Amino acid sequence: MVRSSGDLLWRVTEWGGAGRAGSVRQRSELYSALSNLVINAAKYTPAGGMIELRAALDSTGVKIEVEDNGLGIESHHIPRLTERFYTVDPNRSAESGGTGLGLAIVKHILARHDSELEVKSTPRKGSVFGCHIPIERVLDLSSSRSS
């Protein structure tokens, strides 16, 4: 399965084998990871706030980012965000239904796709969660559309 965003298509390849179509499970898990980032942004951005999704292709792959102007995260929490069951504010997580597993799952999914989660955040200003998918897992349709 391939998803389109303008002239950019990306696919999931089998672990260890560039160029082969990925399994349904692999595609599904990557979409799940990205949707988790968007859902988290929505949970922690107040009404009237902004959530922006960006994707940019270059010679090394595609950079995907989810940026919000929500609560932001203190810097000492960032290294632990992907630990299982870790929550910045346990009271808020209980209110919003969070378990502290979402970003841990995202981290492991991205690792299986030769990527890692990148986090930048400023308290009371917002956060950017992103990843870089290697070029081996990205298709540029601009050349194939002309044939």
Side-chain angles (χ1 to χ4, degrees):
M1 176 179 249
V2 181
R3 297 283 187 193
S4 175
S5 174
D7 285 338
L8 170 67
L9 285 182
W10 55 307
R11 67 175 171 199
V12 178
T13 59
E14 296 291 339
W15 177 251
R20 297 185 309 225
S23 70
V24 171
R25 182 186 62 79
Q26 288 174 316
R27 288 189 302 264
S28 176
E29 72 182 14
L30 191 54
Y31 301 137
S32 176
L34 296 174
S35 69
N36 182 287
L37 297 178
V38 173
I39 290 167
N40 279 354
K43 280 183 186 178
Y44 298 107
T45 300
M50 177 275 308
I51 298 170
E52 183 176 351
L53 308 177
R54 290 186 294 270
L57 178 66
D58 66 21
S59 62
T60 64
V62 64
K63 172 84 172 177
I64 300 169
E65 293 182 327
V66 178
E67 180 175 3
D68 66 62
N69 65 351
L71 301 175
I73 303 163
E74 298 282 345
S75 61
H76 67 276
H77 290 291
I78 291 175
R80 298 194 62 199
L81 287 177
T82 58
E83 291 178 15
R84 289 183 302 165
F85 305 112
Y86 184 79
T87 57
V88 171
D89 180 352
N91 293 327
R92 178 151 171 86
S93 292
E95 292 168 10
S96 65
T99 62
L101 288 173
L103 292 177
I105 292 168
V106 169
K107 171 187 165 183
H108 291 288
I109 289 171
L110 292 177
R112 283 194 294 272
H113 297 283
D114 302 326
S115 185
E116 59 186 39
L117 183 62
E118 302 162 5
V119 181
K120 295 177 259 177
S121 190
T122 304
R124 295 170 298 287
K125 293 196 179 204
S127 303
V128 180
F129 286 79
C131 65
H132 181 266
I133 308 292
I135 196 69
E136 295 81 24
R137 296 179 182 268
V138 178
L139 295 173
D140 183 353
L141 279 190
S142 57
S143 60
S144 64
R145 285 187 179 164
S146 60
S147 42

